[in-house]
Amino acid sequence: MLKNLFVGIILSSLLVTACGSSDGESASEDDGPKYFEIINSDKSYTMDDVMAAGLKGVKEFKTDAVDKKTGEALTPGATEIVLGFFKGPSGPKDIEVRFYANHDDAVKMGQEPAESITEKPSNLVGNSSVTTLADAGVGMKGSTKYGGYAISGNVVILCERELQACLDFIELLP
């Protein structure tokens, strides 16, 4: 009897360990809804590509902005930052695009800043709106929140409300 209990406990812990693994590139920390994705490592986009995909009302922002409290760069390594809106299947959404020299730079230098201003889906309630870069300015921690982001090729794309807006936009990039 004790032996069967011991075997049951070991099998249960193995099952929990095996089922708890993730791919590390698109899972969220709290196992809630997915809010980011890293894809298309072989792609490289330009501003012309972003415009062709349908980004409208484009505003450019400084790439050398720093946190006023710490003096640290808010978007280290970014070569260009633009904000606009995109009319996707779920309606118009604010989209911020941060360009980097290549995919590795976008991941290494762009993911942490994107993560710091992305509101996890479990924290977004109902139809509440997020304050976007257009309202606050680049790197406004605490007030600038996006619902998802994607790193595709050499760009980090931050999207209002949800990851799906980023994926819909990426689908239209050449």
Side-chain angles (χ1 to χ4, degrees), residues 22 26-36 119-123 147 163:
S22 72
S26 62
S28 66
E29 294 172 8
D30 61 358
D31 292 326
K34 190 164 68 165
Y35 66 93
F36 77 93
E119 186 71 30
K120 309 305 179 276
S122 60
N123 296 334
L163 171 62

Side-chain angles (χ1 to χ4, degrees), residues 1-13:
M1 172 92 170
L2 188 58
K3 182 178 177 182
N4 288 343
L5 179 62
F6 181 73
V7 170
I9 291 171
I10 291 191
L11 287 176
S12 294
S13 63

Side-chain angles (χ1 to χ4, degrees), residues 98-110:
R98 298 175 177 180
F99 291 86
Y100 291 83
N102 55 54
H103 180 74
D104 287 341
D105 284 357
V107 173
K108 289 177 187 169
M109 293 187 270

Side-chain angles (χ1 to χ4, degrees), residues 61-129:
F61 289 92
K62 293 181 180 181
T63 59
D64 60 353
V66 295
D67 185 303
K68 290 179 181 171
K69 292 180 183 176
T70 66
E72 293 180 23
L74 295 172
T75 55
T79 59
E80 188 172 6
I81 302 172
V82 295
L83 172 78
F85 69 92
F86 167 69
K87 290 184 181 179
S90 61
K93 300 280 192 268
D94 284 345
I95 303 280
E96 180 180 333
V97 181
R98 298 175 177 180
F99 291 86
Y100 291 83
N102 55 54
H103 180 74
D104 287 341
D105 284 357
V107 173
K108 289 177 187 169
M109 293 187 270
Q111 185 169 12
E112 187 176 323
E115 186 74 28
S116 73
I117 62 169
T118 300
E119 186 71 30
K120 309 305 179 276
S122 60
N123 296 334
L124 295 173
V125 180
N127 289 324
S128 64
S129 179

